[in-house]
Amino acid sequence: QVQLVESGGGLVQAGGSLRLSCAASGFTFNQYIMSWFRQAPGKEREFLTTITWSGGLAYADSVKGRFTISRDNAKNMVYLQMNSLKPEDTAVYYCAAKRGLTGSIAESRSYDYWGQGTQVTVAS
């Protein structure tokens, strides 16, 4: 059974940091591109960042320089280090897994598996 389980969300003051984790199971983790998305109330799901099986990276402009994605293929884990958080970063954060290189990494419909999400709230 495929599972992606996010953790590490919570309430933080503006300017603070959080580290999200995503534990993967039920599929061959090191053959999947892993990404983080977020969705704020009333808004579309937004691509944030991706990491390939070999460590290739991409970031959305909205988080570049503040967020860092990493993965540990030995532990089937992907992480999102979030620094300099802003109130507009408040959203539910999701990790997602994508097999192969077809389809856009920035489009949620390209992904095969999703976690249930973890809430991040940034207070001003």
Side-chain angles (χ1 to χ4, degrees):
Q1 181 183 358
V2 171
Q3 279 194 308
L4 291 174
V5 180
E6 301 97 336
S7 60
L11 174 64
V12 64
Q13 294 293 317
S17 298
L18 280 175
R19 188 192 194 211
L20 305 184
S21 300
C22 174
S25 60
F27 62 98
T28 307
F29 182 75
N30 62 8
Q31 294 180 1
Y32 281 72
I33 291 169
M34 299 299 298
S35 298
W36 288 94
F37 287 74
R38 68 185 177 191
Q39 189 165 18
K43 293 190 175 182
E44 299 276 322
R45 192 165 293 191
E46 176 190 11
F47 168 79
L48 300 178
T49 179
T50 195
I51 185 166
T52 69
W53 43 79
S54 58
L57 304 173
Y59 291 93
D61 288 342
S62 58
V63 303
K64 197 175 295 182
R66 298 190 299 125
F67 291 11
T68 302
I69 190 171
S70 60
R71 67 190 292 165
D72 185 335
N73 287 337
K75 295 182 179 179
N76 287 7
M77 297 289 296
V78 62
Y79 306 98
L80 183 65
Q81 178 66 43
M82 305 187 294
N83 299 328
S84 303
L85 283 161
K86 306 173 183 180
E88 51 263 44
D89 293 319
T90 295
V92 177
Y93 283 69
Y94 298 90
C95 69
K98 179 180 178 306
R99 180 84 162 93
L101 298 174
T102 57
S104 169
I105 59 169
E107 293 188 7
S108 56
R109 63 185 176 183
S110 298
Y111 286 78
D112 300 291
Y113 308 125
W114 290 87
Q116 83 289 348
T118 186
Q119 176 71 45
V120 171
T121 302
V122 184
S124 57

